[in-house]
């Protein structure tokens, strides 16, 4: 029996090695281990035609190295590192150490930075022109009660909370009187100018410009964090969730209020969205990967008169 088991393991490893033997496939996995990307973005990063990239992705998917999911009209690919069996993870670690140091992988990484910068550029372009009318636009789309969801469980006068993707500071203005400190983070200079005007000289508000995927906040320093209608604008929302988890104290909570999956593809052009909502499976998966225990996801009732998609509230606690 032991001999048969080792034979079967050996066959599996040989099959795995065959999938990794091609340099293009190993380059794809180096990128997809860290980023979730479309075929078009992978073509830009690797400078390969779509037919080539699609063919290699199919081979990798057939062997379990990559998975994909639909996002509106797009399909996003990633490497499910946490779901691979231990032998496959060990094998990839050996291959990755060599593949990631190749000149081709270095050039891929540089081009990928430009691809992700292009994502952010489209979002920044939207905010640069929308800052002055953002409150009206958000209320018109989603109604005036959106912020109430983010108040649940946060109003403790001893807490330091983080408003991540704060925009014009509307929610901070509501929360600040009830907590010790609010740390405001947003990447848009235009939005933060409006926020500073709105918040005035509030002594317990600390406004910082920075990316949500790399928060300018010390690890384990906040009691609670919230993200309200911000994740669709991010190139890598899963990384933003991980960063939010990093800055929470043990027992701290993250609350996310955002769009459920929807068919409003026009939001990519009209609002700078990069994602068409987030499913329960996706959101809870990101929260678990961020170290947040027992995350929950609940659809929110659509406010009468609101013209936008359904919203959800998701919460997780740092252990």
């Amino acid at each position: 029996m032991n001999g048969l088991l080792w034979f079967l393991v050996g066959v599996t490893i040989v099959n795995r090695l065959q999938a990794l033997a091609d340099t293009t496939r190993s380059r794809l996995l180096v990128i997809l281990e860290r980023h979730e990307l479309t075929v078009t973005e992978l073509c830009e990063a690797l400078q390969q035609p779509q037919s080539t990239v699609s063919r290699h992705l199919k081979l990798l998917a057939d062997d379990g190295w990559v998975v994909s999911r639909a996002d509106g009209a797009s399909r996003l690919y990633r490497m499910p590192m946490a779901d691979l069996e231990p032998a496959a993870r060990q094998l990839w670690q050996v291959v990755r150490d060599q593949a990631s140091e190749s000149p081709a992988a270095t050039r891929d990484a540089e081009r990928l930075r430009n691809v992700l910068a292009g994502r952010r550029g489209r979002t920044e372009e939207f905010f640069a022109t929308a800052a002055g009318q953002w409150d009206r636009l958000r209320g018109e789309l989603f109604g005036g009660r959106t912020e109430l969801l983010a108040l649940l469980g946060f109003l403790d006068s001893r807490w330091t909370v983080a408003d991540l993707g704060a925009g014009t500071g509307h929610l901070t203005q509501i929360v600040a009187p009830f907590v010790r400190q609010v740390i405001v983070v947003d990447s848009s200079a235009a939005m933060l100018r409006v926020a500073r005007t709105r918040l005035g000289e509030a002594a317990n508000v600390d406004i910082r410009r920075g990316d949500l995927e790399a928060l300018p906040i010390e690890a384990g320093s906040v009691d609670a964090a919230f993200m309200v209608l911000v994740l669709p604008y991010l190139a890598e929302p899963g990384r933003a969730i991980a960063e939010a988890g990093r800055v929470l104290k043990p027992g701290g909570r993250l609350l996310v209020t955002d769009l459920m999956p929807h068919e409003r593809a026009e939001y990519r052009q009209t609002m700078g969205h990069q994602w068409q909502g987030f499913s329960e499976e996706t959101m809870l998966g990101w929260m678990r990967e961020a170290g947040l225990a027992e995350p929950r996801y609940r659809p929110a009732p659509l406010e009468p008169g609101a013209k936008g998609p359904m919203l959800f509230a998701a919460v997780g606690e740092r252990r």
Side-chain angles (χ1 to χ4, degrees):
M1 179 64 70
N2 287 340
L4 177 60
L5 176 61
W6 279 109
F7 172 77
L8 293 175
V9 170
V11 170
T12 300
I13 291 175
V14 169
N15 291 339
R16 292 291 196 180
L17 280 171
Q18 290 174 344
L20 299 180
D22 186 274
T23 56
T24 298
R25 291 197 285 274
S26 63
R27 288 165 60 193
L28 282 167
L29 291 179
V30 167
I31 290 176
L32 292 175
E33 183 181 2
R34 296 191 60 193
H35 304 278
E36 190 176 39
L37 300 166
T38 66
V39 171
T40 299
E41 290 169 332
L42 288 167
C43 291
E44 291 183 36
L46 270 67
Q47 291 293 285
Q48 297 277 1
Q50 181 172 336
S51 58
T52 299
V53 171
S54 296
R55 174 167 54 84
H56 286 300
L57 284 174
K58 184 180 186 307
L59 290 170
L60 291 170
D62 289 345
D63 224 24
W65 286 109
V66 301
V67 295
S68 66
R69 65 180 183 84
D71 181 53
S74 301
R75 181 158 290 275
L76 293 148
Y77 293 83
R78 66 179 177 88
M79 182 182 187
M81 190 67 174
D83 296 333
L84 293 176
E85 65 269 21
R89 287 200 298 270
Q90 293 174 8
L91 178 60
W92 169 240
Q93 288 166 3
V94 173
V95 174
R96 178 186 58 199
D97 290 343
Q98 181 174 356
S100 60
E101 294 177 359
S102 69
T106 301
R107 292 191 293 270
D108 294 343
E110 184 63 34
R111 287 190 292 261
L112 180 59
R113 280 192 284 272
N114 293 332
V115 170
L116 296 178
R119 281 186 181 181
R120 290 189 290 270
R122 290 189 292 273
T123 295
E124 290 171 1
E125 181 181 355
F126 166 75
F127 279 122
T129 59
Q133 57 180 341
W134 174 241
D135 289 344
R136 178 193 59 78
L137 179 60
R138 183 170 65 175
E140 187 177 280
L141 289 171
F142 309 115
R145 297 189 301 167
T146 303
E147 293 82 359
L148 295 179
L149 294 171
L151 298 179
L152 302 177
F154 279 4
L155 304 183
D156 187 314
S157 62
R158 300 165 295 177
W159 281 3
T160 294
V161 304
D163 186 356
L164 306 178
T168 60
H170 187 92
L171 185 52
T172 291
Q173 185 179 36
I174 297 172
V175 173
F178 300 95
V179 296
R180 187 179 70 84
Q181 184 184 37
V182 181
I183 300 174
V184 171
V185 180
D186 202 284
S187 62
S188 169
M191 286 289 187
L192 290 180
R193 282 195 295 271
V194 177
R196 287 188 176 94
T197 299
R198 161 174 273 148
L199 299 170
E201 301 299 322
N204 68 334
V205 175
D206 181 0
I207 297 177
R208 307 177 186 180
R209 186 179 181 187
D211 293 331
L212 301 195
E213 296 98 329
L215 289 172
I217 302 176
E218 183 180 351
S221 61
V222 303
D223 299 283
F226 45 84
M227 298 177 173
V228 178
L229 301 178
V230 65
L231 292 182
Y233 297 101
L234 303 182
E236 297 182 274
R239 183 165 295 187
I241 297 293
E243 274 290 278
R246 178 185 66 81
V247 304
L248 288 174
K249 297 177 182 178
R253 293 181 181 177
L254 170 65
L255 178 63
V256 177
T257 302
D258 225 307
L259 306 184
M260 297 179 69
H262 61 85
E263 301 301 322
R264 307 287 183 87
E266 68 271 19
Y267 285 4
R268 293 180 180 271
Q269 284 72 45
T270 61
M271 297 185 64
H273 281 191
Q274 300 184 38
W275 302 78
Q276 288 182 225
F278 304 93
S279 68
E280 179 176 5
E281 180 182 8
T282 296
M283 185 56 52
L284 297 188
W286 283 337
M287 286 189 160
R288 292 188 185 101
E289 291 175 5
L292 302 179
E294 300 179 0
R296 302 186 301 279
Y297 177 108
R298 297 288 185 272
L302 187 63
E303 184 176 342
K307 301 177 182 179
M310 291 285 292
L311 302 178
F312 70 85
V315 62
E317 181 176 325
R318 185 77 183 180
R319 290 290 173 87

